[in-house]
Amino acid sequence: MSSEPFIDDERDEHDCCWICPALRWPAGEFDVFERPSAESKFNPADGFRYTSEGVPVCVHAERVGLPPGRYRTEGTPLPDEVRPSPRT
């Protein structure tokens, strides 16, 4: 697995939020939810969302280019074609 962030802000075209964990961690090292929920609490200290276990969470699956999944928490396999979604 790569140690590079899933999305490189300088290289990749994307539509994710500036606080998205995809800009910090490789695919598989964070979970992806369809939307914010009680399971993805916002941490005002660093601006990220986390599960109760402390796993970073992206809450905009349609923006990050990964289907919803608990990739880090449960080891959900990544899709065969993993790439950031293009900016629209």
Side-chain angles (χ1 to χ4, degrees):
M1 180 180 293
S2 170
S3 62
E4 296 294 315
F6 176 54
I7 296 174
D8 180 331
D9 201 27
E10 299 295 318
R11 182 194 70 215
D12 297 322
E13 291 291 318
H14 63 85
D15 192 30
C16 67
C17 305
W18 65 273
I19 59 165
C20 184
L23 294 167
R24 245 176 124 176
W25 289 285
E29 293 299 310
F30 56 93
D31 288 349
V32 179
F33 293 2
E34 284 189 56
R35 65 183 69 79
S37 71
E39 294 180 89
S40 59
K41 300 239 186 236
F42 178 75
N43 180 345
D46 67 5
F48 289 94
R49 290 183 176 273
Y50 297 94
T51 65
S52 59
E53 294 86 19
V55 173
V57 178
C58 166
V59 295
H60 298 110
E62 77 285 353
R63 290 184 181 188
V64 77
L66 288 170
R70 295 183 184 260
Y71 300 104
R72 175 71 180 184
T73 303
E74 296 177 0
T76 301
L78 292 166
D80 290 336
E81 296 269 334
V82 175
R83 71 183 108 190
S85 58
R87 235 180 236 155
T88 54

